Amino acid sequence: MARWDPGAEQRLKRAALELYLERGYDNVTITHIAERAGLTRRSYFRYFPDKREVLFGGSERLPPALAEAVLAADPDAAPLTAVLDAMSRVGAQLLEQVQDVAERRAVIDASPELQERERTKAAAVTRALRDALIQRRVEADTAELVAQLAAVAFGHAFRQWTEAEGRTSFGSCLDAVTGRLRAALAET
């Protein structure tokens, strides 16, 4: 087998998703995924460290991209506005690259282990947002609160975007979620 196989990573992702949907996440091994993709188990580990990461590969780019966008936001923008604008821009760009979103979401929703990994990913986003806000000289407690609210809004917007199956943009979903969030906060 060739040392580097063009398209191998995509085949592994597709094979894993198919198998997880067919058999359930817990009933699939790395060997199953590699065989379905026409690769060896050893080849699998060239691309992913474990069977969870085949669903989350690339997600490590989101926190630094969001932090960079927050730092580049209008210096006069309020903290929440800076973060939400950054999320709208970066989220739309990154989500254009995501495939099989609804299927991936179904697999994650069916597995407590994958839900935990999803929470870990959300925590990394929150930390990146908080740290960027602190760099913008936002007080630490306020930065933490804004980052947590924004991360929750991002998660809800992503779910709505997934459920819309391409009928609406991520930016529209984020706007709707933040509108409800602002309204709820204004009522208090």
Side-chain angles (χ1 to χ4, degrees):
M1 186 144 306
R3 217 160 163 64
W4 182 79
D5 185 359
E9 184 174 3
Q10 279 308 113
R11 288 199 326 268
L12 287 166
K13 287 179 179 181
R14 184 77 232 150
L17 188 57
E18 288 171 359
L19 287 165
Y20 294 159
L21 289 167
E22 289 170 17
R23 303 178 188 178
Y25 173 79
D26 291 332
N27 299 317
V28 175
T29 66
I30 289 171
T31 302
H32 294 140
I33 297 167
E35 287 174 355
R36 172 77 62 100
L39 298 165
T40 65
R41 179 179 166 84
R42 185 173 174 183
S43 293
Y44 179 94
F45 288 108
R46 289 188 184 122
Y47 298 95
F48 306 103
D50 60 41
K51 76 177 197 173
R52 292 178 309 177
E53 290 307 308
V54 72
L55 291 173
F56 294 98
S59 65
E60 70 282 353
R61 295 185 313 231
L62 182 59
L66 287 170
E68 185 178 313
V70 169
L71 292 171
D74 178 358
D76 296 327
L80 186 59
T81 300
V83 169
L84 292 174
D85 288 348
M87 289 182 136
S88 183
R89 283 192 316 276
V90 171
Q93 291 170 356
L94 290 179
L95 293 178
E96 286 176 4
Q97 301 169 16
V98 177
Q99 298 173 348
D100 304 313
V101 178
E103 294 87 354
R104 181 182 167 277
R105 177 88 264 141
V107 170
I108 292 169
D109 287 348
S111 169
E113 180 181 342
L114 295 175
Q115 291 168 24
E116 178 62 31
R117 175 62 181 90
E118 186 88 338
R119 286 189 292 275
T120 300
K121 186 177 82 170
V125 165
T126 301
R127 277 190 307 279
L129 294 172
R130 179 201 62 215
D131 293 349
L133 288 170
I134 289 171
Q135 284 185 286
R136 286 176 58 99
R137 303 199 189 287
V138 174
E139 191 270 328
D141 284 344
T142 300
E144 180 71 30
L145 179 60
V146 168
Q148 288 180 5
L149 286 171
V152 168
F154 187 86
H156 281 273
F158 180 76
R159 184 170 290 277
Q160 285 185 357
W161 178 76
T162 301
E163 291 169 358
E165 298 177 338
R167 292 185 303 272
T168 187
S169 70
F170 175 75
S172 296
C173 293
L174 185 60
D175 288 345
V177 168
T178 58
R180 287 193 303 277
L181 177 61
R182 289 177 196 266
L185 291 171
E187 290 175 6
T188 59

